[in-house]
Amino acid sequence: MTVSGSILDDPKHWLERAEEARSIADQLSDPDSRRMMLRIAEDYERWFCRCRERVRSRPAASSSPSRQTAPIIGRAPIRIGCRQRRSI
């Protein structure tokens, strides 16, 4: 099942969620809570990578020319290393 045109197809959405989770983690004093929030940020980054690859793999005719896959964020850019998924 595909959900075209939703947040599932918006890499910027997932990257913004990762930034938000990291910002919250920066405000937490409890080490366990901070670690959990950073893990959530990493999960959102993985969603970003998968979404970006899904959007890139679509035929050019179906992608919108106005859609940017590289997000513009107010803070310093987050470094994300999207790795190729290995086949089993």
Side-chain angles (χ1 to χ4, degrees), residues 2-59:
T2 61
V3 183
S4 184
S6 72
I7 62 169
L8 297 177
D9 291 334
D10 184 4
K12 182 179 176 182
H13 170 81
W14 300 110
L15 199 56
E16 287 172 348
R17 297 297 72 76
E19 181 182 83
E20 182 180 15
R22 289 192 186 283
S23 177
I24 292 169
D26 288 344
Q27 299 171 32
L28 297 173
S29 58
D30 177 59
D32 289 332
S33 297
R34 181 180 172 89
R35 220 176 351 267
M36 288 188 318
M37 190 57 68
L38 290 173
R39 174 64 193 262
I40 290 169
E42 289 172 4
D43 290 342
Y44 279 134
E45 289 171 2
R46 279 192 284 279
W47 273 101
F48 161 78
C49 292
R50 293 189 67 181
C51 179
R52 185 178 65 179
E53 289 307 311
R54 190 171 52 251
V55 169
R56 285 181 177 173
S57 69
R58 289 195 185 125

Side-chain angles (χ1 to χ4, degrees), residues 15 19 71 73-80:
L15 199 56
E19 181 182 83
I73 299 175
R75 292 176 32 183
I78 298 172
R79 248 183 194 276
I80 298 178

